[in-house]
Structure formats: C-alpha cells, structure tokens
Amino acid sequence: VQLQASGGGTVQSGDSLRLACAPVDRTLRNGLGWFRQAPGKEREFVAAIRWSGLYTYYDDSVKGRFTISRDNAKKTVYLQMNSLKPEDTAVYYCAAHRGILSTVRDSTSYDYWGQGTLVTVSS
C-alpha cells in the first residue's frame, strides 16, 4: 500500500486547509494517523482515527481546530485544519496505525507512510 497525502499549500494565519490521505481501505491496519514535521524538529503526532468505533484522537496543540474524518466511498481520510497558525507550518504525513490503542500517538507503531504534503502558514 502506498498512501498519498495531498492538499497542502501556503495560506495565511487564520485560514483553513483540508488534507487528504488515500487510498485508505477500512481494513488497512487499525486506523490512520497524521503526523507533521517542522524544519529542524522531530516528527510529531497530530491526529488519528481508529476504525473500531471511529474514535478520534488529537494532540492538544490542534484540538478544537483540526478534525480527522473518513470517507469510505472515496477511501480517503481527511484532516480539516481551521484557524491555522504559523506554528502549524510543517510537512504533514499520513500513515497506517498497526498498534494497540495506547500507541496511537507513537510514530513507531505506524507504517505505510505517505510522502508528505507541505503546509506553510504565514503570519
């Protein structure tokens, strides 16, 4: 499986973007997560969705601004990003979660990483 992340771009502070990750079949591992990596920083967890119960998880830095969702018909997982801030600037990656629930924020429990899409937020 080769996941493809798309939807990045350059926006201004306060704007919105919607990232997409495909193809995501409902049998692909246990769920899907979004991570991001800013220049000179470690890759960090952003959000995840688990297929069982469609539970969602967010990092505190994006809670209330970002929403992760799945469209089965389009085999796509979306990350709706609202009220973007300059500190959201990063390359965003999607990946399949193969671990148990307690590892949902741990990048080492993910595989099938997509190539990343760049999000730049200017102030």
Side-chain angles (χ1 to χ4, degrees):
V1 176
Q2 180 63 54
L3 296 175
Q4 187 91 5
S6 62
T10 300
V11 297
Q12 294 189 326
S13 182
D15 285 350
S16 298
L17 275 177
R18 188 177 73 165
L19 305 184
C21 180
V24 181
D25 190 271
R26 69 181 69 188
T27 63
L28 179 62
R29 300 303 196 193
N30 300 321
L32 189 120
W34 285 96
F35 288 76
R36 66 187 180 186
Q37 188 166 19
K41 294 189 176 181
E42 298 282 321
R43 187 171 297 188
E44 63 178 12
F45 171 78
V46 176
I49 183 167
R50 296 267 294 183
W51 305 148
S52 177
L54 291 180
Y55 291 110
T56 57
Y57 308 87
Y58 299 93
D59 183 75
D60 287 345
S61 65
V62 306
K63 200 172 295 183
R65 300 188 297 123
F66 291 11
T67 303
I68 188 170
S69 62
R70 183 182 76 180
D71 185 327
N72 287 334
K74 295 183 178 180
K75 294 188 175 182
T76 300
V77 170
Y78 297 103
L79 184 68
Q80 177 66 43
M81 307 187 296
N82 298 330
S83 303
L84 283 162
K85 305 175 182 180
E87 50 263 45
D88 294 318
T89 295
V91 177
Y92 284 71
Y93 300 88
C94 60
H97 186 224
R98 57 181 169 79
I100 59 176
L101 178 57
S102 61
T103 67
V104 73
R105 291 175 172 79
D106 182 357
S107 63
T108 64
S109 67
Y110 286 78
D111 55 16
Y112 299 130
W113 289 85
Q115 87 291 354
T117 185
L118 176 62
V119 173
T120 303
V121 185
S122 60
S123 57

